[in-house]
Amino acid sequence: MAVGVQGAAQRPRSHQRSRVSRLSPSALRDLHARLKDAYGPQSWWPAGSELEMIVGAILVQNTAWTGARKALDNLRDAGMLDVQALRAAPEARLAELIRPSGFFNSKARKLKAFVEMLSAETEGDLGALLARPLHDLRPLLLATHGFGPETADAVCLYAGRRRTFIIDAYTRRILRRLELIEEDAPYERLRAAFLEALPGEPSFFAEYHSLFVVHAKQRCKKRPLCAACPLLDLCPAGQAETGLVAVDGPRSPRSRRRPADWNR
């Protein structure tokens, strides 16, 4: 069972490394196959253009997609899903349009920062920006106000179609419940574990992340729906939730499943 940040910090570094090392190639291949069998091929991010995807990645920060979607619709209706229109619009006007996404003043500044960077780097040519190799594009985004690793990787993967992976709250939740990672496992170490363990084109990693999203939304919610979960026989947290395994005690008579050996 995953431990809290304080508890993990008290553990030796070797223990934290051992948990991250459980993201072995076989474990990650098995997990992808299970999720794909359960949900089918995915086509996600839900956006009509690269710019809409990038704007959406900013708007969805710290909010549900429904609010970000309403904000995107407002921008589209106002003719603002355009680089030059975003750059010319007063920040206060942008903030009002994106109000449904929450933190609208902060996100308006982030949108402005992105289009100003785009103007400085490529004179507003988004295609030229996204054509840059990952080792140029990702650091540039990370140096731009409003882009942490998760948002930068979302842009690189879904808009730039570059080989990277997104370690978001959904990914962490599922991996923690499977006891494959510690709660505070570092972002860059987890991202590297996926990229080092799995060959594949950007489309593979985009699908894999999409499968994490759909599983977290449909089954592995904050209050999980474990009974019909396609990962139940792999998931200690789900087994404890459903009574298949007793917590800190003898096995329940109902128990018939044990976690898989992820490192076989």
Side-chain angles (χ1 to χ4, degrees):
M1 193 171 293
V3 301
V5 173
Q6 183 176 0
Q10 295 172 349
R11 295 178 184 268
R13 289 180 181 272
S14 60
H15 177 83
Q16 295 185 24
R17 283 197 298 270
S18 69
R19 280 302 183 95
V20 175
S21 71
R22 296 192 71 190
L23 294 179
S24 64
S26 61
L28 292 176
R29 285 194 299 267
D30 288 350
L31 185 53
H32 175 264
R34 288 289 196 99
L35 292 173
K36 189 173 182 181
D37 285 347
Y39 301 106
Q42 300 296 301
S43 178
W44 199 84
W45 189 287
S49 68
E50 285 82 2
L51 179 62
E52 183 177 343
M53 184 268 133
I54 294 167
V55 172
I58 293 172
L59 296 180
V60 80
Q61 293 174 359
N62 302 305
T63 194
W65 179 249
T66 52
R69 178 81 268 169
K70 290 177 183 177
L72 275 171
D73 290 342
N74 288 347
L75 290 173
R76 184 184 298 102
D77 292 344
M80 292 288 183
L81 283 179
D82 174 84
V83 171
Q84 296 307 320
L86 287 172
R87 191 174 182 217
E91 190 174 297
R93 171 63 173 155
L94 286 181
E96 185 59 32
L97 289 169
I98 66 174
R99 181 179 288 270
S101 69
F103 304 97
F104 46 90
N105 289 320
S106 172
K107 290 177 182 179
R109 288 192 293 274
K110 293 175 181 181
L111 290 173
K112 281 291 192 179
F114 173 72
V115 294
E116 289 299 330
M117 178 275 288
L118 184 61
S119 178
E121 290 289 329
T122 65
E123 298 182 346
D125 187 340
L126 181 58
L129 180 76
L130 296 176
R132 294 186 177 187
L134 181 67
H135 62 78
D136 288 338
L137 178 58
R138 190 172 189 262
L140 180 60
L141 292 172
L142 289 172
T144 302
H145 175 65
F147 285 81
E150 183 180 327
T151 304
D153 284 321
V155 171
C156 290
L157 180 59
Y158 286 107
R161 296 168 178 82
R162 294 291 179 265
R163 189 179 182 275
T164 188
F165 199 73
I166 306 160
I167 308 299
D168 59 12
Y170 294 141
T171 306
R172 285 185 180 274
R173 180 194 302 165
I174 294 165
L175 295 178
R176 283 202 311 270
R177 287 175 175 169
L178 292 169
E179 294 191 355
L180 290 176
I181 65 169
E182 295 286 344
E183 185 170 356
D184 63 343
Y187 184 102
E188 294 298 340
R189 196 189 299 170
L190 294 180
R191 172 178 171 267
F194 275 85
L195 296 177
E196 291 169 4
L198 298 169
E201 297 299 314
S203 58
F204 170 84
F205 289 96
E207 178 190 63
Y208 202 165
H209 174 253
S210 301
L211 288 165
F212 274 115
V213 173
V214 69
H215 182 60
K217 287 186 173 182
Q218 292 190 20
R219 292 290 173 190
C220 202
K221 303 180 180 185
K222 289 184 179 180
R223 297 186 64 178
L225 305 174
C226 298
C229 177
L231 304 181
L232 181 58
D233 62 320
L234 304 178
C235 184
Q239 292 174 11
E241 179 73 18
T242 58
L244 287 170
V245 172
V247 179
D248 296 327
R251 291 184 68 206
S252 163
R254 294 173 52 203
S255 179
R256 292 292 184 272
R257 309 186 192 194
R258 288 187 180 276
D261 179 4
W262 287 110
N263 293 311
R264 64 184 184 278

